[in-house]
Amino acid sequence: MVTIVPDFSALLAQFFGLGRGIDLLIVFSIIGAYYLLFRLYLKIEKIQQDITSLITHLAIEEEVNEDISKK
């Protein structure tokens, strides 16, 4: 849309209270980058919880197997 109507980005930027269209692009890029970083953070947290749960389960299972083999 910006390539067809070059003034569209300037009008959109003015609507958001910015001076130039490139400023709007930079602001949206920064917001998008922060959003992606937040989503990655959530994924990493989920993976860490899964690993912790798996290790706990394996440790309990190993302890039970050791108790059975000692009897």
Side-chain angles (χ1 to χ4, degrees):
M1 185 71 157
V2 176
T3 56
I4 297 171
V5 184
D7 292 334
F8 179 73
S9 64
L11 291 173
L12 195 59
Q14 286 178 351
F15 176 75
F16 284 104
L18 299 171
R20 299 175 296 172
I22 192 71
D23 295 338
L24 181 67
L25 178 66
I26 290 171
V27 168
F28 281 156
S29 298
I30 291 171
I31 290 170
Y34 276 116
Y35 175 74
L36 290 175
L37 286 172
F38 178 69
R39 295 293 299 174
L40 284 172
Y41 173 77
L42 292 178
K43 293 267 187 196
I44 290 171
E45 283 294 317
K46 174 76 169 93
I47 290 170
Q48 286 178 341
Q49 289 175 356
D50 290 346
I51 289 172
T52 302
S53 175
L54 178 63
I55 289 173
T56 304
H57 177 74
L58 289 174
I60 291 171
E61 188 176 297
E62 184 177 316
E63 186 68 29
V64 168
N65 288 341
E66 285 180 8
D67 288 344
I68 291 173
S69 65
K70 286 182 182 178
K71 290 181 179 181

